[in-house]
Structure formats: C-alpha cells, structure tokens
Amino acid sequence: MNHKNSVQLSREGKWMTMKKNAVPYLLLAPVIIFVCLFMLWPILNVFKMSVENYMVTRPAQRHFIGLDNFKEIFTDDPVFYRALGTTAIYVLVSVAIQTVLGFWLAWLLTRKFKGRGLVRAVALVPWAVAGLMVGIIWNLMLGQAYGVINDLLVKIGAVDIKPSWFSSRTLALTAVVIANVWRGIPFFTISYMSAISGISDELYESAKIDGATAPVQMFKITIPMIKDTIIITTLLRAIWTFNAVDLIVSLTDGGPNRGTTTLALYIMNTFQGSGDFGYASALSVISTLIMMIVAFIYIRMGKMGKGV
C-alpha cells in the first residue's frame, strides 16, 4: 500500500470516528432545543422580569429597577411572610402525615389476604382525582350545614355544635391539609409497595430465626432498605405540594382573610389579579431558590444513595 492510499484510509477512519461520535449529540439535539425554547428561556425571562417594574397594563413603562422588588418583598410585604409560614405548615404537616399513612398502607397491602387486589385498586383511587375535584369533594363533605363529616362528628359525640370549617384560619388550614393528605397517600403507597416488594424474603426469614418481632423487622430491615425511596418520594411530594394551587383554590380560595394563601397562590394572585409581572416574578424567583436550597439540604442530610 502506497503512502497516498494510507493517508486516504487514515482520513476516512477519522471521518467515520467523527460521525460515530456525533450521533449521540444529533440524537440529543431535539431535546436540547426543546428544553432551551420551552424551559430555559421562560425561566431566564422570569429572572429578567424580577428586576424590572413591569405592569401588564402599562407595558410602555417597563424598565429596569434592580433589586427594588426583592427589597419590597422582604421589608414591606406582610402577606409574603404570612404566606411563607402557611406554606411551611401546609407542606410539612401534609407530607409527614402522608408519609406515615402511605407507609402503613403499603405495609398492609404487601401482606397476603383475600381480596387484596380489590383493596389495592380502591386505595389508589384518590390519586386519579384532579386537584380541583378533590377541593370540591371535600368542600361538600366539610360543609357546616350539609357536610357528612360534621354529621358524623355530632353522631359520635365528638362535638355538640357543627363546626364551620372555613370560618377560621386554623380550621380552614386543617381542612386543606386533610384534603391534600387524602389525595396524596396513594402516591406514597404505590412507591413504598414497589420498594418493599423488592426486599428479599430471606432477610425477614433470617430475622425471624433470630427472634426479631414485626416492629423490629420494620425499623431494622424495611425502613433502612427503602430509605432512598422515602427521601425521593417525600421530596417530590413536598415540591408538588409547595407549588400546587388547584386544591386550595377550589376548597378555600386562600381564605379566610388569606389564612390558607400559600406562596404559590400568592404568586398566582399577584400575577393574575394585579397584573404586576415584575413583582410576581420576584416572588417566583424567591420561591424557586427556597425549594432548591431545601431540596439540596434535604438530600445531603438524608445521604441519598449512600446505601444502608
């Protein structure tokens, strides 16, 4: 083989290598373009609007104001701090109860008993119901005069007078938490059932031989083995609860007196109600940063992926 043919083969080899290496990038290109157009650009645009005075009714007066929106939020906006506190209570209490009840239900549904398939199907129904519909359902169930919950409370002697669930902040927030817990339990149940089913039966058999009781098996085997599942499910559900507004809008609409107005609902009301896009964008940026920081700390503290 002469030198000319050798050079030609070398060039063809390099060209084939380049084409082979370029294939993954070409396959990823549509996804990257989609993310940039429909995710990255809107996010960057929100950050841009957060440092502007931008009223939708006065677009010609839109101008850069720096950190004035953020300064007003932290120094002269009592609604922000109240909404942030309401959000913290709503998310923490809801997710904590859902985690415990979801794990308990998953533990029961992984046991063998007659009619288990039917019970599993019924237990997972709330997850298929839309948030707006959940709010309407529980609004009817918690109605003071006609609600079935109040009738049951009176019949069992828990209360003498039917409570008005939507007249005070405490009761209204309790109602919102109850409705959210009812809707969210199936998500945890499904996730934990899948994780528990993946644990080897040999571990439980060995534990029984060693004399371990059911509670010991739960805390020494089951929970440690599904630790990563618990972390990711609680984190995902916390993010969804933090950002969701549909259930609250249909159940209490943020009342009474903003008592159930979460940060996400406050952002939506500011965006749609007053039309102050700049201020709403600043609230959105703060909300995003809060969730990013909380998620990072939670994953680090939970040592996700570190094993048992």
Side-chain angles (χ1 to χ4, degrees):
M1 181 180 296
N2 56 34
H3 178 69
K4 184 177 180 180
N5 291 336
S6 178
V7 171
Q8 184 177 358
L9 289 174
S10 178
R11 289 176 178 176
E12 290 179 355
K14 290 181 179 179
W15 175 246
M16 292 297 293
T17 302
M18 290 176 61
K19 286 173 62 177
K20 185 177 180 180
N21 292 336
V23 169
Y25 299 99
L26 292 174
L27 295 175
L28 287 172
V31 177
I32 294 174
I33 294 172
F34 178 85
V35 169
C36 291
L37 289 178
F38 296 99
M39 292 183 63
L40 185 60
W41 166 244
I43 292 173
L44 293 176
N45 195 38
V46 169
F47 276 82
K48 178 177 178 292
M49 289 191 296
S50 69
V51 293
E52 295 177 336
N53 181 5
Y54 182 17
M55 293 291 297
V56 69
T57 55
R58 299 190 296 271
Q61 300 179 16
R62 179 179 179 178
H63 61 278
F64 177 79
I65 58 173
L67 299 178
D68 287 357
N69 285 327
F70 295 95
K71 187 184 299 182
E72 182 178 351
I73 290 171
F74 288 115
T75 61
D76 194 28
D77 188 352
V79 178
F80 166 74
Y81 288 103
R82 187 174 187 184
L84 189 61
T86 300
T87 304
I89 296 172
Y90 176 51
V91 173
L92 291 174
V93 175
S94 294
V95 174
I97 296 175
Q98 289 174 52
T99 302
V100 174
L101 295 182
F103 177 81
W104 174 71
L105 188 58
W107 176 265
L108 292 179
L109 293 180
T110 52
R111 308 300 98 184
K112 294 181 179 180
F113 59 89
K114 189 176 181 180
R116 184 177 64 172
L118 178 61
V119 175
R120 282 182 173 182
V122 173
L124 304 181
V125 167
W127 188 242
V129 183
L132 287 172
M133 184 61 69
V134 172
I136 294 172
I137 291 171
W138 281 94
N139 195 303
L140 294 173
M141 292 179 65
L142 294 170
Q144 183 176 12
Y146 50 81
V148 64
I149 301 297
N150 282 347
D151 285 340
L152 290 174
L153 292 176
V154 171
K155 288 178 179 179
I156 64 176
V159 296
D160 295 326
I161 302 175
K162 295 180 179 180
S164 177
W165 288 90
F166 308 110
S167 62
S168 69
R169 178 176 185 266
T170 302
L171 286 177
L173 191 56
T174 301
V176 171
V177 169
I178 291 173
N180 191 50
V181 167
W182 179 81
R183 186 194 184 194
I185 285 176
F187 168 72
F188 289 91
T189 302
I190 295 170
S191 302
Y192 295 158
M193 280 173 55
S194 177
I196 292 173
S197 299
I199 302 175
S200 175
D201 292 336
E202 295 179 358
L203 292 174
Y204 294 107
E205 292 173 0
S206 299
K208 288 179 181 178
I209 294 173
D210 292 337
T213 59
V216 172
Q217 293 178 37
M218 179 182 297
F219 288 101
K220 294 296 184 180
I221 298 177
T222 307
I223 293 179
M225 290 295 290
I226 66 170
K227 182 194 70 172
D228 285 354
T229 302
I230 294 174
I231 292 174
I232 194 64
T233 51
T234 52
L235 179 59
L236 288 175
R237 188 60 183 152
I239 293 173
W240 296 337
T241 303
F242 185 92
N243 293 318
V245 298
D246 50 356
L247 188 152
I248 297 177
V249 168
S250 61
L251 186 58
T252 64
D253 199 22
N257 192 27
R258 296 183 185 268
T260 56
T261 297
T262 59
L263 187 55
L265 182 57
Y266 180 42
I267 293 171
M268 188 188 77
N269 290 338
T270 303
F271 184 81
Q272 293 184 340
S274 63
D276 192 343
F277 283 16
Y279 198 79
S281 296
L283 288 169
S284 299
V285 169
I286 294 172
S287 174
T288 302
L289 293 177
I290 289 174
M291 283 309 305
M292 290 176 63
I293 293 171
V294 170
F296 176 78
I297 294 174
Y298 183 64
I299 291 175
R300 289 295 298 271
M301 290 181 62
K303 297 180 180 180
M304 184 176 174
K306 301 293 185 179
V308 181

